[in-house]
């Protein structure tokens, strides 16, 4: 099934009614070797399948989601392929700041322009060009039913990339996303460090600002956040900054007593699969 | 709810309809500080709840099960409390061999008699006496509906302890258990190291040998093992050594293509909850 020279399978484990795989490949965009996870439901045997791309949060690798989110159960049930990349370039030759919120593990899904980051920290191009092409070539993904979701920094990435690329991603959801990075501590540190001090360059990576001018195909964005989330309380998430408009409906559900962890993510995983399935179905009906 | 001086809460996260907690306490039996996990479903508000004790496998701490097994969904659904201890004594003062299958992370749920292990490696007494008493004092566990299950080395522990203590544990199941340690590499290394060379002392910790002479209350033991499990293939598990008799029904399900990992465990977690619920119900009906 795979283009053998392009990606190499690192591991495979049967999980629910499908296979959880991990691949590695040389990324030309990032200038390093990268891992990503792919869950392949048994139903791929019947043809092209819907797919979801999941973006993880600060400090995560590809492994956290695979091990802790409990998504495989629903991917098997819905027959969805799931792709989940790492959160930054990796390797000894990649510069790092050794902060939890900058450098390795904290790529923020943007293309850095400042030195020494610009050579490797191109996660936006990696996701939207290189990785998407690779997974479409290697797995039977139905491009008409391809969604994006993520958690925390990855929720930022999912909304940001989803709004900029409706031609790729037909549905969007997020767990505890960082919605307004130009106005939060994590965001301002990352945006100034990777892009430099000119704040006009930051806006392209701010989901709230992108949402305000979004005029693409109608999207409903599902957002769940626990009301005991310490990063909500400290102002990193700012879900109130995301406003609905004629093209965009923000469905924000505050979840009593849940925190920022994967215990929270796993608790509502099923409902995010339902959301993406409904969005795919709604667009199919709208076409006919 | 807790006896404050006895256990201390380390963390709590809301997870599905309940709370995943971690506690630490000083173990007099093991001579060290220990962690254990407790999942408390919201339904504790309506009174004493059924409970399951889960024993983990080699190299695990209390954390692996909590993070990877996906049990909280079903614990909430069934209203079960789940207790999951660590796999060995811990701490700088506890001797270790730094092998993955002996010493820390590999307590084998037995009481060591050989030096230097005998002072701390008393996991059998820790589980069956100290920990059980602590959790019964601190959580609203219904002692008539208390089951035991586990994975790999912890499957060995669950069957072994479950068969020896029907007065505590009313139901038993296991994922990929080591069934016949007197006859496997892991087992012979652990039993000789912790108990010395006299093999007559080993039999008390061998589930297959215990099952052959079990004459307690009727038990159905559910066992799932993947047929792609490398430890099944290398002879560490030997499920065929466990025989049914008039008091014991072994339900062994070989699962095509699954391996030994938590991907496998999570895939069949729901069915183990069903099994314990049925065993509790069957015993309730038998009494009336």
């Amino acid at each position: 099934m795979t283009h053998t020279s392009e990606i190499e399978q690192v591991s495979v484990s049967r999980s629910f009614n499908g296979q959880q795989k991990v691949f590695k490949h040389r990324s030309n965009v990032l200038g390093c070797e990268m891992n990503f996870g792919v869950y392949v439901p048994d139903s791929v045997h019947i043809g092209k399948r819907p797919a979801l791309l999941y973006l993880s949060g600060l400090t995560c690798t590809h492994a956290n989601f695979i091990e802790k989110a409990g998504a495989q159960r629903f991917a098997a049930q819905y027959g969805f392929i799931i792709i989940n990349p790492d959160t930054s370039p990796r390797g000894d030759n990649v510069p790092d700041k050794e902060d939890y919120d900058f450098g390795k593990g904290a790529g923020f899904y943007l293309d850095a322009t400042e030195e020494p980051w610009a050579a490797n920290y191109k996660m936006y191009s990696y996701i939207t060009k290189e990785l998407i092409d690779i997974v479409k070539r290697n797995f039977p993904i139905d491009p008409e039913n391809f969604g994006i979701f993520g958690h925390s920094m990855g929720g930022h990435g999912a909304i940001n990339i989803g709004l900029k690329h409706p031609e790729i991603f037909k549905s969007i959801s997020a767990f505890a996303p960082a919605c307004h990075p130009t106005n939060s501590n994590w965001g301002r540190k990352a945006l100034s460090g990777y892009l430099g001090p000119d704040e006009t360059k930051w806006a392209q990576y701010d989901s709230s600002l992108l949402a305000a001018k979004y005029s693409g195909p109608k999207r409903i964005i599902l957002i769940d956040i626990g009301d005991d989330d310490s990063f909500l309380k400290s102002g990193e998430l700012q879900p109130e900054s995301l406003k609905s408009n004629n093209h965009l409906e923000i469905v924000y559900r505050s979840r009593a007593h849940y925190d920022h962890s994967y215990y929270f993510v796993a608790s509502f995983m099923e409902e995010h699969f339902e959301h993406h399935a409904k969005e795919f179905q709604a667009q199919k009906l709208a076409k006919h």
Side-chain angles (χ1 to χ4, degrees), chain A:
Chain A
M1 191 159 85
T2 57
H3 287 227
T4 39
S5 63
E6 187 171 50
I7 61 175
E8 181 186 338
Q9 186 170 300
V10 175
S11 68
V12 57
S13 285
R14 188 155 179 78
S15 171
F16 293 93
N17 291 316
Q19 291 179 300
Q20 179 63 58
K21 300 180 175 193
V22 175
F23 292 90
K24 66 178 180 182
H25 73 117
R26 176 78 196 174
S27 166
N28 296 321
V29 170
L30 302 176
C32 65
E33 187 170 88
M34 292 291 284
N35 291 319
F36 63 92
V38 182
Y39 183 79
V40 182
D42 292 345
S43 57
V44 291
H45 297 306
I46 62 176
K48 289 203 173 196
R49 304 308 304 168
L52 296 176
L53 183 85
Y54 178 88
L55 300 179
S56 297
L58 287 168
T59 77
C60 288
T61 68
H62 67 283
N64 305 65
F65 169 78
I66 294 174
E67 295 175 354
K68 297 182 176 181
Q72 293 93 350
R73 169 184 299 272
F74 306 110
Q77 183 183 317
Y78 282 87
F80 286 6
I81 292 168
I82 313 182
I83 312 290
N84 71 297
D86 203 343
T87 55
S88 75
R90 298 284 179 180
D92 293 343
N93 298 326
V94 170
D96 192 14
K97 205 168 191 284
E98 302 193 1
D99 288 356
Y100 88 101
D101 56 358
F102 198 94
K104 289 182 190 173
F108 273 86
Y109 306 105
L110 52 73
D111 283 352
T113 53
E114 292 294 292
E115 297 307 330
W117 317 107
N120 303 99
Y121 285 78
K122 301 282 190 192
M123 288 298 290
Y124 175 75
S125 290
Y126 171 66
I127 300 292
T128 58
K129 297 193 182 86
E130 191 176 33
L131 183 67
I132 288 293
D133 287 350
I134 287 172
V135 299
K136 283 186 176 174
R137 273 197 297 274
N138 286 280
F139 303 97
I141 291 170
D142 175 0
E144 294 305 306
N145 293 298
F146 199 176
I148 190 166
F149 67 149
H151 172 229
S152 193
M153 176 183 74
H156 141 74
I159 300 172
N160 193 280
I161 289 173
L163 290 176
K164 281 195 266 194
H165 293 283
E167 81 286 3
I168 304 175
F169 296 110
K170 311 303 181 183
S171 58
I172 305 170
S173 77
F175 302 93
C179 300
H180 197 15
T182 59
N183 192 39
S184 76
N185 290 331
W186 283 345
R188 295 183 67 84
K189 178 174 176 179
L191 294 166
S192 61
Y194 291 127
L195 303 178
D198 179 0
E199 297 196 19
T200 62
K201 294 181 181 164
W202 300 3
Q204 61 183 314
Y205 297 115
D206 186 298
S207 293
S208 294
L209 301 179
L210 288 171
K213 53 179 193 176
Y214 178 75
S215 60
K218 179 72 189 287
R219 291 285 183 266
I220 300 170
I221 302 182
L222 173 63
I223 294 175
D224 278 305
I225 309 183
D227 74 359
D228 202 24
D229 184 319
S230 59
F231 297 112
L232 174 69
K233 293 175 183 173
S234 64
E236 297 296 353
L237 309 186
Q238 301 182 39
E240 69 287 353
S241 67
L242 267 183
K243 313 284 191 194
S244 296
N245 63 40
N246 287 341
H247 296 262
L248 206 57
E249 182 182 340
I250 308 294
V251 177
Y252 169 37
R253 303 187 296 198
S254 174
R255 299 295 196 170
H257 310 311
Y258 290 87
D259 62 23
H260 197 71
S261 69
Y262 267 98
Y263 299 116
F264 154 70
V265 172
S267 297
F268 299 103
M269 185 55 68
E270 183 170 18
E271 296 177 42
H272 284 246
F273 275 80
E274 284 169 9
H275 167 74
H276 289 274
K278 278 184 190 166
E279 281 283 89
F280 296 156
Q281 185 63 17
Q283 290 165 36
K284 192 175 167 185
L285 291 173
K287 272 187 195 166
H288 294 289

